[in-house]
mmCIF file of all heavy atoms in Angstrom:
data_model
loop_
_atom_site.group_PDB
_atom_site.id
_atom_site.type_symbol
_atom_site.label_atom_id
_atom_site.label_comp_id
_atom_site.label_asym_id
_atom_site.label_seq_id
_atom_site.Cartn_x
_atom_site.Cartn_y
_atom_site.Cartn_z
ATOM 1 N N THR A 1 2.399 -20.314 -10.633
ATOM 2 C CA THR A 1 1.276 -21.227 -10.398
ATOM 3 C C THR A 1 0.019 -20.488 -9.982
ATOM 4 O O THR A 1 -1.078 -20.725 -10.510
ATOM 5 C CB THR A 1 1.649 -22.239 -9.301
ATOM 6 O OG1 THR A 1 2.820 -22.965 -9.699
ATOM 7 C CG2 THR A 1 0.515 -23.218 -9.060
ATOM 8 N N LEU A 2 0.151 -19.562 -9.029
ATOM 9 C CA LEU A 2 -1.020 -18.883 -8.490
ATOM 10 C C LEU A 2 -1.683 -17.947 -9.505
ATOM 11 O O LEU A 2 -2.913 -17.845 -9.564
ATOM 12 C CB LEU A 2 -0.642 -18.123 -7.224
ATOM 13 C CG LEU A 2 -0.240 -19.016 -6.025
ATOM 14 C CD1 LEU A 2 0.369 -18.187 -4.913
ATOM 15 C CD2 LEU A 2 -1.449 -19.807 -5.535
ATOM 16 N N THR A 3 -0.886 -17.251 -10.298
ATOM 17 C CA THR A 3 -1.484 -16.356 -11.301
ATOM 18 C C THR A 3 -2.144 -17.152 -12.419
ATOM 19 O O THR A 3 -3.185 -16.753 -12.945
ATOM 20 C CB THR A 3 -0.434 -15.397 -11.873
ATOM 21 O OG1 THR A 3 0.688 -16.140 -12.360
ATOM 22 C CG2 THR A 3 0.021 -14.398 -10.824
ATOM 23 N N GLU A 4 -1.544 -18.283 -12.779
ATOM 24 C CA GLU A 4 -2.160 -19.112 -13.837
ATOM 25 C C GLU A 4 -3.447 -19.755 -13.334
ATOM 26 O O GLU A 4 -4.439 -19.833 -14.072
ATOM 27 C CB GLU A 4 -1.178 -20.187 -14.299
ATOM 28 C CG GLU A 4 -0.039 -19.656 -15.142
ATOM 29 C CD GLU A 4 0.927 -20.743 -15.581
ATOM 30 O OE1 GLU A 4 0.772 -21.889 -15.128
ATOM 31 O OE2 GLU A 4 1.835 -20.430 -16.390
ATOM 32 N N GLU A 5 -3.447 -20.193 -12.091
ATOM 33 C CA GLU A 5 -4.650 -20.853 -11.546
ATOM 34 C C GLU A 5 -5.806 -19.882 -11.353
ATOM 35 O O GLU A 5 -6.967 -20.234 -11.598
ATOM 36 C CB GLU A 5 -4.323 -21.502 -10.195
ATOM 37 C CG GLU A 5 -3.509 -22.781 -10.303
ATOM 38 C CD GLU A 5 -3.252 -23.401 -8.945
ATOM 39 O OE1 GLU A 5 -3.656 -22.798 -7.906
ATOM 40 O OE2 GLU A 5 -2.641 -24.481 -8.914
ATOM 41 N N THR A 6 -5.505 -18.695 -10.900
ATOM 42 C CA THR A 6 -6.567 -17.754 -10.529
ATOM 43 C C THR A 6 -6.842 -16.686 -11.579
ATOM 44 O O THR A 6 -7.908 -16.071 -11.557
ATOM 45 C CB THR A 6 -6.210 -17.024 -9.215
ATOM 46 O OG1 THR A 6 -5.039 -16.217 -9.422
ATOM 47 C CG2 THR A 6 -5.914 -18.037 -8.101
ATOM 48 N N GLY A 7 -5.883 -16.436 -12.456
ATOM 49 C CA GLY A 7 -6.024 -15.348 -13.427
ATOM 50 C C GLY A 7 -5.909 -13.977 -12.789
ATOM 51 O O GLY A 7 -6.248 -12.977 -13.420
ATOM 52 N N CYS A 8 -5.413 -13.922 -11.565
ATOM 53 C CA CYS A 8 -5.340 -12.643 -10.844
ATOM 54 C C CYS A 8 -4.186 -11.795 -11.330
ATOM 55 O O CYS A 8 -3.222 -12.284 -11.938
ATOM 56 C CB CYS A 8 -5.203 -12.889 -9.338
ATOM 57 S SG CYS A 8 -3.623 -13.628 -8.869
ATOM 58 N N ILE A 9 -4.284 -10.490 -11.062
ATOM 59 C CA ILE A 9 -3.148 -9.603 -11.278
ATOM 60 C C ILE A 9 -2.322 -9.540 -9.989
ATOM 61 O O ILE A 9 -2.728 -10.071 -8.955
ATOM 62 C CB ILE A 9 -3.603 -8.194 -11.725
ATOM 63 C CG1 ILE A 9 -4.514 -7.531 -10.687
ATOM 64 C CG2 ILE A 9 -4.293 -8.275 -13.075
ATOM 65 C CD1 ILE A 9 -4.888 -6.102 -11.041
ATOM 66 N N ASP A 10 -1.184 -8.900 -10.061
ATOM 67 C CA ASP A 10 -0.189 -8.989 -8.985
ATOM 68 C C ASP A 10 -0.733 -8.631 -7.611
ATOM 69 O O ASP A 10 -0.443 -9.309 -6.615
ATOM 70 C CB ASP A 10 0.995 -8.071 -9.291
ATOM 71 C CG ASP A 10 1.787 -8.525 -10.507
ATOM 72 O OD1 ASP A 10 1.532 -9.637 -11.006
ATOM 73 O OD2 ASP A 10 2.655 -7.762 -10.971
ATOM 74 N N GLN A 11 -1.504 -7.551 -7.521
ATOM 75 C CA GLN A 11 -1.949 -7.089 -6.210
ATOM 76 C C GLN A 11 -2.855 -8.093 -5.509
ATOM 77 O O GLN A 11 -3.056 -8.033 -4.295
ATOM 78 C CB GLN A 11 -2.655 -5.751 -6.339
ATOM 79 C CG GLN A 11 -3.913 -5.773 -7.196
ATOM 80 C CD GLN A 11 -4.522 -4.400 -7.369
ATOM 81 O OE1 GLN A 11 -4.200 -3.477 -6.653
ATOM 82 N NE2 GLN A 11 -5.427 -4.273 -8.333
ATOM 83 N N ASP A 12 -3.397 -9.050 -6.255
ATOM 84 C CA ASP A 12 -4.352 -10.024 -5.707
ATOM 85 C C ASP A 12 -3.793 -11.445 -5.599
ATOM 86 O O ASP A 12 -4.561 -12.385 -5.370
ATOM 87 C CB ASP A 12 -5.615 -10.037 -6.567
ATOM 88 C CG ASP A 12 -6.304 -8.686 -6.598
ATOM 89 O OD1 ASP A 12 -6.367 -8.027 -5.535
ATOM 90 O OD2 ASP A 12 -6.771 -8.276 -7.663
ATOM 91 N N VAL A 13 -2.489 -11.613 -5.730
ATOM 92 C CA VAL A 13 -1.894 -12.954 -5.645
ATOM 93 C C VAL A 13 -2.144 -13.534 -4.251
ATOM 94 O O VAL A 13 -1.846 -12.890 -3.238
ATOM 95 C CB VAL A 13 -0.378 -12.893 -5.944
ATOM 96 C CG1 VAL A 13 0.273 -14.256 -5.655
ATOM 97 C CG2 VAL A 13 -0.125 -12.484 -7.392
ATOM 98 N N PRO A 14 -2.671 -14.749 -4.167
ATOM 99 C CA PRO A 14 -2.898 -15.378 -2.849
ATOM 100 C C PRO A 14 -1.580 -15.577 -2.111
ATOM 101 O O PRO A 14 -0.507 -15.661 -2.721
ATOM 102 C CB PRO A 14 -3.549 -16.711 -3.197
ATOM 103 C CG PRO A 14 -4.121 -16.529 -4.567
ATOM 104 C CD PRO A 14 -3.188 -15.585 -5.268
ATOM 105 N N PRO A 15 -1.617 -15.692 -0.800
ATOM 106 C CA PRO A 15 -0.380 -15.863 -0.015
ATOM 107 C C PRO A 15 0.261 -17.221 -0.277
ATOM 108 O O PRO A 15 -0.417 -18.189 -0.592
ATOM 109 C CB PRO A 15 -0.851 -15.746 1.431
ATOM 110 C CG PRO A 15 -2.319 -16.048 1.390
ATOM 111 C CD PRO A 15 -2.808 -15.585 0.068
ATOM 112 N N PHE A 16 1.572 -17.257 -0.096
ATOM 113 C CA PHE A 16 2.320 -18.505 -0.285
ATOM 114 C C PHE A 16 3.487 -18.550 0.686
ATOM 115 O O PHE A 16 3.922 -17.521 1.226
ATOM 116 C CB PHE A 16 2.827 -18.633 -1.727
ATOM 117 C CG PHE A 16 3.877 -17.628 -2.103
ATOM 118 C CD1 PHE A 16 5.224 -17.866 -1.856
ATOM 119 C CD2 PHE A 16 3.519 -16.422 -2.698
ATOM 120 C CE1 PHE A 16 6.197 -16.927 -2.188
ATOM 121 C CE2 PHE A 16 4.478 -15.486 -3.035
ATOM 122 C CZ PHE A 16 5.830 -15.735 -2.786
ATOM 123 N N VAL A 17 3.993 -19.753 0.883
ATOM 124 C CA VAL A 17 5.156 -19.990 1.747
ATOM 125 C C VAL A 17 6.136 -20.874 0.986
ATOM 126 O O VAL A 17 5.722 -21.855 0.330
ATOM 127 C CB VAL A 17 4.725 -20.691 3.058
ATOM 128 C CG1 VAL A 17 5.919 -21.127 3.884
ATOM 129 C CG2 VAL A 17 3.811 -19.769 3.876
ATOM 130 N N VAL A 18 7.410 -20.543 1.035
ATOM 131 C CA VAL A 18 8.446 -21.390 0.447
ATOM 132 C C VAL A 18 8.882 -22.416 1.483
ATOM 133 O O VAL A 18 9.139 -22.064 2.645
ATOM 134 C CB VAL A 18 9.642 -20.542 -0.047
ATOM 135 C CG1 VAL A 18 10.762 -21.451 -0.574
ATOM 136 C CG2 VAL A 18 9.182 -19.570 -1.144
ATOM 137 N N ALA A 19 8.941 -23.679 1.074
ATOM 138 C CA ALA A 19 9.225 -24.749 2.019
ATOM 139 C C ALA A 19 10.200 -25.773 1.446
ATOM 140 O O ALA A 19 10.348 -25.882 0.220
ATOM 141 C CB ALA A 19 7.937 -25.441 2.433
ATOM 142 N N GLU A 20 10.846 -26.503 2.336
ATOM 143 C CA GLU A 20 11.678 -27.645 1.975
ATOM 144 C C GLU A 20 11.250 -28.823 2.840
ATOM 145 O O GLU A 20 11.137 -28.686 4.062
ATOM 146 C CB GLU A 20 13.164 -27.361 2.214
ATOM 147 C CG GLU A 20 13.802 -26.430 1.204
ATOM 148 C CD GLU A 20 15.282 -26.212 1.479
ATOM 149 O OE1 GLU A 20 15.748 -26.573 2.588
ATOM 150 O OE2 GLU A 20 15.971 -25.674 0.596
ATOM 151 N N ASN A 21 10.991 -29.936 2.195
ATOM 152 C CA ASN A 21 10.570 -31.148 2.926
ATOM 153 C C ASN A 21 9.380 -30.880 3.841
ATOM 154 O O ASN A 21 9.299 -31.390 4.961
ATOM 155 C CB ASN A 21 11.743 -31.712 3.745
ATOM 156 C CG ASN A 21 12.945 -32.041 2.882
ATOM 157 O OD1 ASN A 21 12.800 -32.632 1.811
ATOM 158 N ND2 ASN A 21 14.125 -31.679 3.355
ATOM 159 N N GLY A 22 8.478 -30.035 3.347
ATOM 160 C CA GLY A 22 7.273 -29.740 4.078
ATOM 161 C C GLY A 22 7.406 -28.725 5.193
ATOM 162 O O GLY A 22 6.435 -28.416 5.882
ATOM 163 N N GLU A 23 8.610 -28.170 5.377
ATOM 164 C CA GLU A 23 8.837 -27.193 6.433
ATOM 165 C C GLU A 23 9.124 -25.811 5.848
ATOM 166 O O GLU A 23 9.968 -25.700 4.958
ATOM 167 C CB GLU A 23 10.014 -27.613 7.323
ATOM 168 C CG GLU A 23 9.760 -28.884 8.120
ATOM 169 C CD GLU A 23 8.629 -28.727 9.115
ATOM 170 O OE1 GLU A 23 8.508 -27.630 9.725
ATOM 171 O OE2 GLU A 23 7.852 -29.681 9.291
ATOM 172 N N PRO A 24 8.438 -24.763 6.322
ATOM 173 C CA PRO A 24 8.731 -23.404 5.817
ATOM 174 C C PRO A 24 10.160 -23.005 6.107
ATOM 175 O O PRO A 24 10.698 -23.325 7.184
ATOM 176 C CB PRO A 24 7.738 -22.526 6.578
ATOM 177 C CG PRO A 24 7.309 -23.324 7.765
ATOM 178 C CD PRO A 24 7.393 -24.765 7.359
ATOM 179 N N ILE A 25 10.795 -22.314 5.170
ATOM 180 C CA ILE A 25 12.220 -21.998 5.312
ATOM 181 C C ILE A 25 12.454 -20.660 6.003
ATOM 182 O O ILE A 25 13.610 -20.304 6.275
ATOM 183 C CB ILE A 25 12.930 -21.970 3.955
ATOM 184 C CG1 ILE A 25 12.430 -20.797 3.084
ATOM 185 C CG2 ILE A 25 12.780 -23.294 3.218
ATOM 186 C CD1 ILE A 25 13.288 -20.500 1.874
ATOM 187 N N GLY A 26 11.389 -19.913 6.315
ATOM 188 C CA GLY A 26 11.638 -18.556 6.804
ATOM 189 C C GLY A 26 10.700 -18.049 7.856
ATOM 190 O O GLY A 26 10.305 -16.871 7.838
ATOM 191 N N THR A 27 10.299 -18.894 8.830
ATOM 192 C CA THR A 27 9.485 -18.368 9.920
ATOM 193 C C THR A 27 10.333 -17.412 10.769
ATOM 194 O O THR A 27 11.564 -17.484 10.771
ATOM 195 C CB THR A 27 8.968 -19.521 10.807
ATOM 196 O OG1 THR A 27 10.085 -20.282 11.279
ATOM 197 C CG2 THR A 27 8.031 -20.419 10.027
ATOM 198 N N VAL A 28 9.676 -16.522 11.471
ATOM 199 C CA VAL A 28 10.355 -15.550 12.319
ATOM 200 C C VAL A 28 10.458 -16.126 13.721
ATOM 201 O O VAL A 28 9.443 -16.488 14.339
ATOM 202 C CB VAL A 28 9.627 -14.197 12.324
ATOM 203 C CG1 VAL A 28 10.364 -13.208 13.217
ATOM 204 C CG2 VAL A 28 9.504 -13.651 10.907
ATOM 205 N N GLU A 29 11.683 -16.217 14.248
ATOM 206 C CA GLU A 29 11.928 -16.872 15.527
ATOM 207 C C GLU A 29 12.661 -15.932 16.481
ATOM 208 O O GLU A 29 13.177 -14.889 16.082
ATOM 209 C CB GLU A 29 12.766 -18.133 15.313
ATOM 210 C CG GLU A 29 12.204 -19.107 14.280
ATOM 211 C CD GLU A 29 10.910 -19.764 14.720
ATOM 212 O OE1 GLU A 29 10.602 -19.722 15.934
ATOM 213 O OE2 GLU A 29 10.189 -20.300 13.855
ATOM 214 N N ASP A 30 12.695 -16.337 17.773
ATOM 215 C CA ASP A 30 13.464 -15.588 18.766
ATOM 216 C C ASP A 30 14.897 -15.377 18.265
ATOM 217 O O ASP A 30 15.523 -16.287 17.715
ATOM 218 C CB ASP A 30 13.522 -16.356 20.083
ATOM 219 C CG ASP A 30 12.180 -16.431 20.789
ATOM 220 O OD1 ASP A 30 11.240 -15.739 20.355
ATOM 221 O OD2 ASP A 30 12.067 -17.187 21.785
ATOM 222 N N GLY A 31 15.416 -14.172 18.489
ATOM 223 C CA GLY A 31 16.784 -13.858 18.092
ATOM 224 C C GLY A 31 16.927 -13.328 16.684
ATOM 225 O O GLY A 31 18.028 -12.948 16.273
ATOM 226 N N ASP A 32 15.810 -13.272 15.936
ATOM 227 C CA ASP A 32 15.862 -12.743 14.569
ATOM 228 C C ASP A 32 15.733 -11.215 14.562
ATOM 229 O O ASP A 32 15.385 -10.598 15.584
ATOM 230 C CB ASP A 32 14.735 -13.338 13.730
ATOM 231 C CG ASP A 32 14.932 -14.813 13.425
ATOM 232 O OD1 ASP A 32 16.026 -15.346 13.730
ATOM 233 O OD2 ASP A 32 14.004 -15.430 12.862
ATOM 234 N N SER A 33 15.990 -10.628 13.413
ATOM 235 C CA SER A 33 15.709 -9.208 13.173
ATOM 236 C C SER A 33 14.816 -9.097 11.937
ATOM 237 O O SER A 33 14.926 -9.908 11.012
ATOM 238 C CB SER A 33 16.997 -8.424 12.941
ATOM 239 O OG SER A 33 17.732 -8.301 14.131
ATOM 240 N N VAL A 34 13.944 -8.076 11.948
ATOM 241 C CA VAL A 34 13.014 -7.862 10.840
ATOM 242 C C VAL A 34 13.058 -6.394 10.446
ATOM 243 O O VAL A 34 12.971 -5.508 11.304
ATOM 244 C CB VAL A 34 11.577 -8.246 11.212
ATOM 245 C CG1 VAL A 34 10.631 -7.943 10.051
ATOM 246 C CG2 VAL A 34 11.479 -9.712 11.614
ATOM 247 N N VAL A 35 13.191 -6.129 9.146
ATOM 248 C CA VAL A 35 13.049 -4.776 8.607
ATOM 249 C C VAL A 35 11.877 -4.760 7.631
ATOM 250 O O VAL A 35 11.816 -5.601 6.721
ATOM 251 C CB VAL A 35 14.328 -4.303 7.888
ATOM 252 C CG1 VAL A 35 14.052 -3.065 7.030
ATOM 253 C CG2 VAL A 35 15.423 -4.009 8.887
ATOM 254 N N PHE A 36 10.951 -3.849 7.845
ATOM 255 C CA PHE A 36 9.918 -3.582 6.847
ATOM 256 C C PHE A 36 10.473 -2.467 5.969
ATOM 257 O O PHE A 36 10.606 -1.324 6.411
ATOM 258 C CB PHE A 36 8.614 -3.158 7.523
ATOM 259 C CG PHE A 36 7.431 -3.185 6.593
ATOM 260 C CD1 PHE A 36 6.974 -4.388 6.074
ATOM 261 C CD2 PHE A 36 6.785 -2.020 6.226
ATOM 262 C CE1 PHE A 36 5.879 -4.411 5.220
ATOM 263 C CE2 PHE A 36 5.694 -2.035 5.376
ATOM 264 C CZ PHE A 36 5.239 -3.242 4.851
#
């Protein structure tokens, strides 16, 4: 959707969030672990 709407290449894709029923499925919360 974002590449078709904007015509951008990959490095410039606008940010997005995956959600279910209007709620993001992957916020970072207490007790989580994160690897970059």
Side-chain angles (χ1 to χ4, degrees):
T1 302
L2 292 169
T3 54
E4 287 179 354
E5 285 182 357
T6 65
C8 68
I9 60 176
D10 294 350
Q11 62 184 345
D12 299 320
V13 172
F16 67 86
V17 172
V18 176
E20 285 182 347
N21 302 317
E23 294 297 322
I25 68 166
T27 57
V28 180
E29 306 293 342
D30 291 351
D32 289 352
S33 289
V34 178
V35 166
F36 194 66

